[in-house]
Amino acid sequence: MTDIEQIIFSQIKSIIANEELLIGRRGVLIPLKKAIIADGDIQNIIDIVISDPSLSAHILWRTQLAHHETSIQSKPKTIKEALVRLGQVNIYRYAFSFYLKELFDELSQPYKKLVKGYWQLTESIAEESILLLHEMHDSKIDSDELQTICLFSVFGQIIALTSFARLELDLKKPIPLPFVKNIIDEHQQSLTIEAFKTLGLDEELQREFMIAHNLQESEQLESAGLVLRRVLSKKKLLLNPL
């Protein structure tokens, strides 16, 4: 890595460590994180989530999407029912991904186009993974857990591109795209792990991400990470190809 690349890389890591620069509206996310860390009762978490109608609608839609092939009776019909079934970890993952995506429109070009392209890829990965799970009729893997992990399957690229957009704004001059691509290609694993840690995402998510990308073996015969690994392998997206 050249001296200039090292400087830029360090600046990108500093931005990744700053949730305020990477996440849009944080008015709900901050108290939600505090409530989960404090292991507060579910009613408090429900009250926090429903204070943002857009987030509530998004989480209900996500849970219905995750269970789209189950019976109508088993699908959550209200946001309260969905939140009770999801559990704290999945609630936070859904909320984090919602506010992260909300910020994409504020990014400058070409980063907005690139990040939205990666998000479309994420959605297709989630859809294929859920379909695969439903084909595994006797699987006990939770659909929402799988879907939330899928939403972070190309997390490193999304966070890195968002960080480069913020850095360009600070520098007031463009960073050559080949330079951006080189850093992301060379360091996407370390940037992803850095983002998981500094942005306060749960350790289980990081572990399943590592399993999904064939960077760690699962201790279980069935896991959400192993299902995602099959989809990522098919799409040739594994950080450590099989």
Side-chain angles (χ1 to χ4, degrees), residues 22-89:
L22 296 174
I23 307 297
R25 293 181 294 140
R26 298 166 71 241
V28 166
L29 203 58
I30 293 173
L32 181 59
K33 180 188 289 187
K34 289 180 178 178
I36 291 173
I37 290 174
D39 199 23
D41 64 58
I42 188 64
Q43 186 57 52
N44 183 32
I45 291 172
I46 290 172
D47 291 341
I48 293 170
V49 171
I50 64 176
S51 69
D52 185 341
S54 296
L55 175 61
S56 298
H58 175 79
I59 290 180
L60 181 58
W61 170 72
R62 279 288 180 199
T63 56
Q64 291 176 337
L65 199 64
H67 298 271
H68 72 283
E69 293 208 359
T70 57
S71 66
I72 295 175
Q73 289 80 8
S74 65
K75 288 183 181 180
K77 301 177 183 62
T78 67
I79 184 59
K80 287 187 176 182
E81 183 181 339
L83 293 173
V84 169
R85 290 176 56 174
L86 278 174
Q88 297 177 350
V89 170

Side-chain angles (χ1 to χ4, degrees), residues 7-238:
I7 291 170
I8 295 293
F9 185 59
S10 296
Q11 290 174 317
I12 290 299
K13 288 177 67 176
S14 295
I15 293 172
I16 289 175
N18 190 332
E19 184 178 88
E20 190 170 355
L21 290 175
L22 296 174
I23 307 297
R25 293 181 294 140
R26 298 166 71 241
V28 166
L29 203 58
I30 293 173
L32 181 59
K33 180 188 289 187
K34 289 180 178 178
I36 291 173
I37 290 174
D39 199 23
D41 64 58
I42 188 64
Q43 186 57 52
N44 183 32
I45 291 172
I46 290 172
D47 291 341
I48 293 170
V49 171
I50 64 176
S51 69
D52 185 341
S54 296
L55 175 61
S56 298
H58 175 79
I59 290 180
L60 181 58
W61 170 72
R62 279 288 180 199
T63 56
Q64 291 176 337
L65 199 64
H67 298 271
H68 72 283
E69 293 208 359
T70 57
S71 66
I72 295 175
Q73 289 80 8
S74 65
K75 288 183 181 180
K77 301 177 183 62
T78 67
I79 184 59
K80 287 187 176 182
E81 183 181 339
L83 293 173
V84 169
R85 290 176 56 174
L86 278 174
Q88 297 177 350
V89 170
N90 283 327
I91 291 171
Y92 188 77
R93 292 175 185 173
Y94 275 139
F96 186 97
S97 63
F98 172 74
Y99 290 120
L100 175 65
K101 182 177 180 291
E102 195 177 58
L103 194 65
F104 292 168
D105 284 330
E106 297 181 16
L107 301 179
S108 60
Q109 295 292 11
Y111 298 103
K112 178 163 72 173
K113 180 179 179 180
L114 291 170
V115 168
K116 286 190 172 185
Y118 271 113
W119 190 260
Q120 289 176 351
L121 176 61
T122 295
E123 295 284 7
S124 72
I125 290 169
E127 182 179 355
E128 288 187 37
S129 298
I130 293 298
L131 285 173
L132 179 58
L133 178 61
H134 287 307
E135 291 173 3
M136 300 163 56
H137 301 294
D138 296 326
S139 175
K140 293 182 170 43
I141 297 171
D142 180 73
S143 296
D144 285 294
E145 180 186 359
L146 175 59
Q147 185 169 234
T148 57
I149 291 168
C150 290
L151 295 179
F152 292 86
S153 54
V154 289
F155 187 54
Q157 293 94 320
I158 290 174
I159 290 295
L161 287 167
T162 303
S163 300
F164 270 108
R166 292 297 179 190
L167 181 58
E168 267 199 10
L169 190 64
D170 291 341
L171 296 175
K172 295 182 173 57
K173 62 179 181 181
I175 301 171
L177 279 180
F179 186 87
V180 173
K181 183 179 184 303
N182 184 56
I183 287 184
I184 292 176
D185 288 347
E186 291 292 326
H187 303 285
Q188 61 175 293
Q189 181 179 332
S190 62
L191 288 173
T192 303
I193 294 172
E194 186 81 11
F196 279 137
K197 291 179 179 177
T198 60
L199 296 174
L201 292 158
D202 62 281
E203 292 182 3
E204 180 66 19
L205 175 61
Q206 180 179 328
R207 181 164 50 253
E208 292 297 330
F209 174 90
M210 299 288 280
I211 291 170
H213 279 278
N214 196 33
L215 297 167
Q216 180 176 321
E217 287 305 318
S218 174
E219 296 178 356
Q220 302 173 327
L221 293 176
E222 279 192 347
S223 76
L226 288 176
V227 176
L228 177 54
R229 183 189 291 183
R230 291 171 61 181
V231 175
L232 293 177
S233 178
K234 179 182 174 183
K235 291 181 175 292
K236 301 187 185 307
L237 291 169
L238 289 176

